[in-house]
Amino acid sequence: MSTAINSTNFGDETLEIIAFRLHDQEFCVRTTTIREIRGWAPSTPIPHAPADVIGVMNLRGSVIPIIDLAQKLGMKSTVANERSAIVVTEVHNMVIGMLVDRVSDILTIPATQVQPVPEVSASFDKSFSEGIIATEHGMICFLNLSKMFKGSEMEDMAA
């Protein structure tokens, strides 16, 4: 069994990632998917929206959905505060905002540092994660946004 994901899965020998916290856990995504990082601002709720959609916000004239990323990942909802941030990203050609507790760091790491997610059980769906990054400060779960937000789900949010 391989202990690291082959760097050809990522295309480059290094990866640029942005790390953020949800509760006491560290997660990251590729910087290439990020449009901007904004401070927390209340959003406008949408009636009958999915549970992980907090609402919408105006981003320079465009209305974008704001997702409670913790709830999307099966964690308890994030309670926004002054340290919270909205990570604005583009997934399947749609711009969305993801509520996180705080942005931690922007890192450049060797692709070989990304290790596969261990098999937990036969019914465990690890498709939301590209792998785990072990650092001197702990573990970072590397999220796969395109698998977290399926194309059909994005169309429903836009409707």
Side-chain angles (χ1 to χ4, degrees), residues 124-146:
F124 174 60
D125 180 10
K126 59 183 182 178
S127 65
F128 281 11
S129 178
E130 292 196 42
I132 303 293
I133 302 165
T135 69
E136 60 190 43
H137 304 291
M139 307 284 259
I140 304 172
C141 182
F142 192 167
L143 298 176
N144 183 325
L145 296 179
S146 64

Side-chain angles (χ1 to χ4, degrees), residues 94-136:
M94 184 175 167
V95 178
I96 62 169
M98 301 182 303
L99 174 62
V100 301
D101 289 341
R102 72 178 193 271
V103 173
S104 310
D105 212 346
I106 296 174
L107 305 166
T108 302
I109 63 160
T112 56
Q113 193 173 344
V114 181
Q115 298 182 29
V117 176
E119 294 291 335
V120 176
S121 73
S123 62
F124 174 60
D125 180 10
K126 59 183 182 178
S127 65
F128 281 11
S129 178
E130 292 196 42
I132 303 293
I133 302 165
T135 69
E136 60 190 43

Side-chain angles (χ1 to χ4, degrees), residues 5-20:
I5 294 176
N6 185 333
S7 62
T8 58
N9 290 348
F10 294 103
D12 293 325
E13 291 188 4
T14 60
L15 299 170
E16 287 200 2
I17 58 172
I18 182 166
F20 49 86

Side-chain angles (χ1 to χ4, degrees), residues 9 36 39 41 54 58 64 74 83 86 115 133 135 145 156 159:
N9 290 348
E36 65 183 90
I54 298 169
N58 182 347
I64 66 167
R83 296 206 62 190
I86 302 290
Q115 298 182 29
I133 302 165
T135 69
L145 296 179
D156 290 346

